[in-house]
Amino acid sequence: MNDLLTLRVEKLLWRGRGLARLDSGKAVMIEPGVLPGESIAARVLADHKDYTRAESVEILAPSALRRPHPCPHAGDCGGSRFGVLEPEASARIKEDMLRDTASRSLEPDVLAGLRVIPAPRGWRYRWRGQIHVRNGRPHTMGHASNDLAPLTDCHLLSPPLAADMENLARSLPDGRFTIAASPATEETFTERGRGGLILPIPDFDLDLRVPPGTFFQANWELNQTLIREVVAALDGFGRVADLFSGAGNFALPLARRGKTVLAVEGSSAAARCGADNARRLGLAQAEFRGANLARPASWEPVRHFLPQAAVLDPPRAGAKDIGAALMSISSLRRLVWVSCDVVNTLRDARPLLRAGWRISDLVLLDMFPGTWHMEVLMVLDRPDA
């Protein structure tokens, strides 16, 4: 097991892992950090019946796409493994990863229509992030490791958040914490801070106000494009359910466009925040409910609402049995599904696809440059719609 393998990376799989093969044809899954076409020396981590898991210890022949990582902490940090790529090359590889992964579930004509929306900037785009604090100093956690390393900067964080990171850490005990900044005012907070972040949505003449610990899309600039895509996909539908709504990222712009919206969110704090924003903005047609959609009883108000369409943005792990729950709502004609892990989304959407729901639009948004992560928007229409 300690012997090194010489491997050639065929392609990248979901979650950024490389695929190579032994002379026997057995698959080797390589931990993130390699690029297609590279020759590497790899250490075996585990040998299973159907595949071997390995990690690269040396790049023997680098890809022509590989560049020096701009962050001095890249060797210790597991947070930006795609930082060795220019943004355009990174987006192309993510597109290849998505096409390869989705080809097991989707028809070729759906993938032929895939649209890719690049990020406006490759670095300094996150207005929310997490740091590990030890002795009042910010740290990062290594890839596939519990080891912490001191952190003086993070190229993923927006300039005001990166500049104030060390000061924010001094106010925190040891542990893992969310830090955030307002794209409007550049004021910075920890999740323990008081006050609220102002999150502008200029195309809809809105500004959300959220407590520092409340989830919001970290790439706020590209989030504006995501909101426009979702609202455009729901044009013509007057009653919309916003499931896993958060504090109103989609519900409030939809209400501003005259939709009647029922927003359902598992975090009662986020639901209260959304309701407070709706009242402050005079959007009485947006109703927020705190409810756990993993519980069958939570779906009864949604069915009673009689939505014509729904937007859903579940957590990365997905939403078990949501396909059957959605099919039980006879009034639904369209779903706009926002996914940060398309593997779990396609698993959850399988009952709908088997029942004949068709995908009319598929969009990759490069929401997280420097990493393998991406946001995928999928529009599904009921077969008899």
Side-chain angles (χ1 to χ4, degrees), residues 331-351:
S331 58
L332 274 178
R333 291 294 176 265
R334 172 165 285 190
L335 299 172
V336 180
W337 203 315
V338 180
S339 169
C340 57
D341 193 315
V342 78
V343 169
N344 293 333
T345 295
L346 291 172
R347 175 202 66 201
D348 296 339
R350 192 173 297 129

Side-chain angles (χ1 to χ4, degrees), residues 69-82:
H69 201 297
C71 180
H73 299 289
D76 299 319
C77 177
S80 58
R81 309 294 282 185
F82 271 33

Side-chain angles (χ1 to χ4, degrees), residues 122-139:
W123 297 105
R124 305 294 188 192
Y125 61 86
R126 291 193 68 105
W127 294 88
R128 181 182 57 80
Q130 290 192 329
I131 56 172
H132 295 265
V133 177
R134 178 181 288 175
N135 299 324
R137 295 181 60 197
H139 287 68

Side-chain angles (χ1 to χ4, degrees), residues 350-373:
R350 192 173 297 129
L352 294 154
L353 298 172
R354 286 176 175 170
W357 285 68
R358 58 183 180 83
I359 297 175
S360 58
D361 199 10
L362 185 66
V363 186
L364 185 163
L365 295 99
D366 192 8
M367 192 74 80
F368 309 104
T371 79
W372 73 265
H373 296 281

Side-chain angles (χ1 to χ4, degrees), residues 5-9 30 34 38-42 56 58-61:
L5 302 174
T6 300
L7 301 169
R8 183 180 183 278
V9 182
I30 307 161
V34 297
E38 292 188 324
S39 294
I40 66 168
S56 172
E58 185 181 355
I59 306 295
L60 302 175

Side-chain angles (χ1 to χ4, degrees), residues 101-152:
T101 300
S103 66
R104 299 165 181 78
S105 302
L106 303 181
E107 296 297 326
D109 62 320
V110 172
L111 292 173
L114 173 66
R115 294 187 289 129
V116 179
I117 300 177
R121 63 189 76 247
W123 297 105
R124 305 294 188 192
Y125 61 86
R126 291 193 68 105
W127 294 88
R128 181 182 57 80
Q130 290 192 329
I131 56 172
H132 295 265
V133 177
R134 178 181 288 175
N135 299 324
R137 295 181 60 197
H139 287 68
T140 182
M141 183 173 285
H143 175 71
S145 167
N146 291 322
D147 296 334
L148 298 181
L151 190 64
T152 59

